[in-house]
Structure formats: C-alpha cells, structure tokens
Amino acid sequence: MDDSPGGPDKEADVLDHDTASRRLALSGWLVRASGAGGRPALEVRSGDRLVDVSVATPLVTDLLRGGRRSATWSVAWGQLPPHLWEDPAARVEVRFAFRAWRRASLQVGSLIVGGAYWVAEAPGDFRTVLASAGGSEASLRLRRA
C-alpha cells in the first residue's frame, strides 16, 4: 500500500543513457567514469570526499554496489551486467522503499555512467533500494551519508 502523496509507485523519467561525469541534482554528489586499458571504473564523490571507487570486471558484477541516504535524498549505484555494457537501450530498474516494501516505494530512472555503471537518486529518506537489470536483482539497506 502506498501512503505517499501522488498515488502508488510513482515513476520518474529515465535519465540519459551514457555520460562520463554527472553531478546529481538532489545530493550534489559527483559520479565520474574513468579507467584505462579497456577496464571501466566509477568514482562516486561527495564534495572532496571519495565515497566509492570500482573497477569493472566481466567476472564479478556488483549490480547494486552502494547506497546512501540523508534527510532529503537517497542515492544508489552499481555495475551493469557485462552483456549490457554496449547496449544503448540498457536500463536498470530502481525502486527506493521506506521499510521492507510494506510502505510507499518510488521507482526512479537510472543514469548509465561510462557504459558499465549506473546511478539513481530519489527525493526522500528511504531505507532500502532494489535494483534489477538483465535478469539480475539485488537489494540493499541504505546507510546514512
């Protein structure tokens, strides 16, 4: 059941498919694709603080690598399954929820970063996030930023 204004399971627009660097609108965090030798990497930054860095590998994929929340926003990020790295239609379905999916949830668009990673953010202090892409699914409890 959805207790949020605006009705059940609102959905935000899907963001641009591919970008090398993007400042997130709600959190102000910066996500940046980098890497060398054909190995994509992702940096997640909050101001001058490096929150996470990941180097993509086709052997092990962290579909949902990390997530944080504050009083006003929630953000999550991860690695696309390798078979989606070159797919311009690749999309990660992301749903933020307050508590174990029993209350309101919000489906949001994902931003593909550097062809191998994704990031999503939502307005609100959510507790958990669920991501699905390419037949894989993962959930994570969000930590305080």
Side-chain angles (χ1 to χ4, degrees):
M1 166 135 316
D2 181 0
D3 299 346
S4 67
D9 300 332
K10 299 175 288 181
E11 183 172 348
D13 293 334
V14 173
L15 302 172
D16 301 332
H17 171 67
D18 196 10
T19 187
S21 179
R22 176 79 167 251
R23 184 156 309 275
L24 302 177
L26 300 173
S27 63
W29 286 21
L30 179 70
V31 290
R32 181 179 316 159
S34 58
R39 294 190 64 194
L42 176 73
E43 294 178 16
V44 180
R45 294 184 171 273
S46 172
D48 291 337
R49 191 177 108 235
L50 182 63
V51 176
D52 190 23
V53 64
S54 174
V55 177
T57 172
L59 301 175
V60 178
T61 301
D62 286 329
L63 177 62
L64 184 51
R65 182 168 169 84
R68 300 290 189 279
R69 65 188 176 97
S70 79
T72 58
W73 53 261
S74 298
V75 64
W77 62 92
Q79 181 184 332
L80 288 171
H83 67 277
L84 296 178
W85 288 1
E86 301 299 323
D87 183 354
R91 172 185 162 128
V92 178
E93 303 228 356
V94 181
R95 182 171 298 279
F96 289 94
F98 288 106
R99 290 193 184 150
W101 319 110
R102 288 178 286 181
R103 289 190 51 211
S105 66
L106 178 65
Q107 185 171 337
V108 298
S110 59
L111 171 67
I112 305 301
V113 182
Y117 290 95
W118 64 271
V119 64
E121 70 175 350
D125 184 9
F126 293 96
R127 299 297 187 263
T128 57
V129 61
L130 173 71
S132 58
S136 298
E137 187 172 273
S139 64
L140 178 76
R141 183 170 175 87
L142 298 173
R143 295 177 27 204
R144 281 272 175 210

